[in-house]
C-alpha cells in the first residue's frame, strides 16, 4: 500500500497534483476550507490566452481527481511533527498521520481599497478584476451599467511592485488578465474605447505576446505606458483618470464609464499559518 499524501488546498494546483498522484497509484487526501473545489479559477469566466471557459477546466480537474478523499468546509486545526511523519487534526475531528504534505493554499487578492488614490469603495464606477470576473459570470453588479459603456480603463499593478503596499513582487498574471478582460469587454461593447494603463507589460507565458498583439490589432485596445496619478469623479458620475504617457511625455486625461483595478496576488494568511505549524521558513513576501 502506498503512503498517504495530504494536499492542503483544493484549487487548481491541488486538483492537478491529486490527479497526477492518482495516476501513479496513490490515494491523496484533499483538505479544502471552502464548500467547493477550484479556488479562484472556479470564479472566473474565461481563461487566457485561448479564452477557454474556466468551468470546463475546473470540471475536468474535479473529474480526474474524484478518486481522492476530499474534505470540503474543512481546515487544519493543528499539526505536529513526529519522528518521521506528521500528525494532522482536521476541523471535522478526523486525525491523519502522514509522511507527505503538499501545501497548495493559493493566494489572496490585494485589498484595492488600501490604494485610496484609485477610488475603490469611494467612486461607484471603480471595481476590481475579481468584481469584473464575477460580472462576466453572473451579469450582476450595480456598479456596472451595460447601457452606458463607451469608455473603460484598466490600471495595472494595483498592490503589486509597490513598496508602499509592502508588496514588491510582480504577480505575473495581472497584465495578461487585463488583456483578457479588455478583450471580453470589447466583444460585449464593440464601440467602447478601452485603455490599459501599465508600468511594464510582463507577458511570461507561451502565446501571451500573441494575445497582446491581437488585443491591439484586432480589438483596437489602447495601451498607455504610465502610472495613473489621479482618479476622480465628475458631476455626472463618470470616472476621470489623469496619467502621463511616458512614451510620448504627454499628460492624459480620460473620462470613463468604468475603471477596473488589477489587484495583485498577496500571500494567503493560511499559508503563513500552515508554515508556522510545520516550522517551515517563509520568504519576505510570505
Amino acid at each position: 500500500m502506498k503512503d498517504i499524501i495530504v494536499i492542503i488546498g483544493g484549487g487548481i494546483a491541488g486538483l492537478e497534483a491529486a490527479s497526477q498522484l492518482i495516476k501513479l497509484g496513490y490515494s491523496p487526501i484533499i483538505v479544502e476550507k471552502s464548500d467547493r473545489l477550484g479556488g479562484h479559477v472556479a470564479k472566473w469566466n474565461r481563461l487566457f490566452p485561448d479564452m477557454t471557459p474556466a468551468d470546463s477546466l475546473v470540471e475536468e480537474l474535479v473529474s480526474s481527481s474524484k478518486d481522492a478523499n476530499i474534505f470540503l468546509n474543512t481546515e487544519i486545526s493543528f499539526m505536529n511533527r513526529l519522528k518521521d511523519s506528521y500528525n494532522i487534526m482536521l476541523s471535522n475531528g478526523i486525525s491523519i498521520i502522514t509522511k507527505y504534505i503538499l501545501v497548495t493554499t493559493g493566494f489572496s487578492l490585494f485589498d484595492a481599497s488600501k490604494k485610496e488614490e484609485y477610488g475603490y469603495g469611494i467612486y461607484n464606477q471603480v471595481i476590481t478584476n475579481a468584481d469584473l470576473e464575477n460580472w462576466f459570470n453572473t451579469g450582476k453588479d450595480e456598479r456596472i451599467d451595460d447601457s452606458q459603456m463607451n469608455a473603460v480603463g484598466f490600471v495595472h499593478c494595483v498592490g503589486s511592485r509597490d513598496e508602499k503596499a509592502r508588496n514588491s513582487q510582480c504577480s505575473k498574471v495581472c497584465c495578461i488578465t487585463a488583456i483578457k478582460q479588455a478583450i471580453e469587454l470589447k466583444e460585449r461593447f464593440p464601440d467602447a474605447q478601452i485603455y490599459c494603463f501599465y508600468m511594464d507589460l510582463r507577458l511570461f507565458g507561451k502565446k501571451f505576446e500573441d494575445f497582446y498583439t491581437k488585443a491591439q490589432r484586432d480589438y483596437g485596445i489602447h495601451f498607455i505606458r504610465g502610472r495613473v496619478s489621479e482618479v476622480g469623479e465628475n458631476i455626472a458620475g463618470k470616472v476621470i483618470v489623469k496619467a502621463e504617457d511616458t512614451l510620448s511625455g504627454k499628460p492624459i486625461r480620460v473620462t470613463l464609464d468604468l475603471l477596473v483595478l488589477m489587484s495583485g496576488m498577496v500571500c494567503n494568511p493560511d499559508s503563513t499559518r500552515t508554515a508556522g505549524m510545520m516550522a517551515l521558513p517563509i520568504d519576505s513576501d510570505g
Side-chain angles (χ1 to χ4, degrees):
M1 181 178 178
K2 293 197 174 184
D3 292 308
I4 295 171
I5 299 175
V6 175
I7 301 172
I8 306 176
I12 58 169
L15 290 173
E16 174 67 16
S19 175
Q20 296 299 328
L21 287 168
I22 289 168
K23 290 178 183 177
L24 295 172
Y26 292 91
S27 295
I29 296 172
I30 299 176
V31 180
E32 168 56 41
K33 69 176 183 178
S34 73
D35 60 358
R36 64 187 296 188
L37 298 170
H40 292 281
V41 175
K43 302 174 184 177
W44 277 40
N45 181 41
R46 286 190 276 172
L47 303 176
F48 52 77
D50 299 322
M51 304 300 270
T52 53
D55 57 3
S56 296
L57 173 66
V58 174
E59 288 172 8
E60 179 183 333
L61 287 173
V62 170
S63 176
S64 62
S65 58
K66 66 180 184 299
D67 291 334
N69 293 301
I70 300 171
F71 297 109
L72 299 178
N73 297 307
T74 306
E75 298 186 56
I76 306 295
S77 294
F78 71 86
M79 182 188 317
N80 62 296
R81 183 75 181 263
L82 305 176
K83 183 177 180 181
D84 61 350
S85 59
Y86 293 93
N87 177 37
I88 302 173
M89 178 60 72
L90 304 182
S91 60
N92 59 9
I94 293 176
S95 178
I96 303 169
I97 294 179
T98 178
K99 292 182 179 180
Y100 306 107
I101 300 171
L102 179 62
V103 181
T104 60
T105 46
F107 63 92
S108 296
L109 277 180
F110 176 79
D111 180 2
S113 65
K114 293 181 179 179
K115 301 292 290 183
E116 293 182 2
E117 62 268 35
Y118 294 142
Y120 185 70
I122 301 172
Y123 305 124
N124 286 335
Q125 275 65 50
V126 179
I127 66 173
T128 67
N129 41 5
D131 296 330
L132 185 56
E133 282 298 327
N134 181 66
W135 181 76
F136 284 145
N137 273 329
T138 66
K140 298 178 181 178
D141 194 313
E142 60 185 15
R143 295 166 295 183
I144 300 176
D145 182 2
D146 54 13
S147 67
Q148 296 287 331
M149 200 63 68
N150 300 311
V152 180
F154 288 83
V155 179
H156 292 220
C157 298
V158 176
S160 291
R161 305 175 64 196
D162 188 335
E163 292 290 349
K164 291 182 179 179
R166 299 181 180 180
N167 191 29
S168 59
Q169 79 270 15
C170 172
S171 290
K172 294 189 178 181
V173 296
C174 297
C175 287
I176 193 67
T177 299
I179 293 170
K180 178 200 81 84
Q181 292 185 334
I183 287 175
E184 286 189 85
L185 280 178
K186 192 69 174 179
E187 289 177 344
R188 292 180 183 229
F189 308 103
D191 297 328
Q193 297 297 313
I194 298 182
Y195 306 87
C196 284
F197 298 94
Y198 69 94
M199 293 167 58
D200 300 291
L201 284 173
R202 296 188 168 188
L203 304 172
F204 292 86
K206 187 177 181 181
K207 299 182 182 180
F208 285 12
E209 284 285 350
D210 295 339
F211 199 51
Y212 163 54
T213 301
K214 180 179 180 180
Q216 294 183 95
R217 182 191 63 219
D218 298 342
Y219 291 90
I221 294 166
H222 308 286
F223 290 86
I224 300 170
R225 189 177 188 274
R227 186 181 286 276
V228 170
S229 59
E230 184 180 339
V231 175
E233 189 177 68
N234 65 15
I235 194 170
K238 304 289 186 181
V239 179
I240 308 298
V241 172
K242 295 180 181 179
E244 180 186 3
D245 187 333
T246 56
L247 295 180
S248 67
K250 296 179 180 180
I252 291 176
R253 183 179 186 274
V254 293
T255 302
L256 305 172
D257 298 291
L258 187 69
L259 182 64
V260 184
L261 306 180
M262 305 308 296
S263 293
M265 294 187 290
V266 294
C267 174
N268 188 335
D270 289 344
S271 298
T272 305
R273 179 170 169 268
T274 301
M277 290 182 181
M278 301 171 68
L280 295 176
I282 59 174
D283 205 345
S284 59
D285 60 5

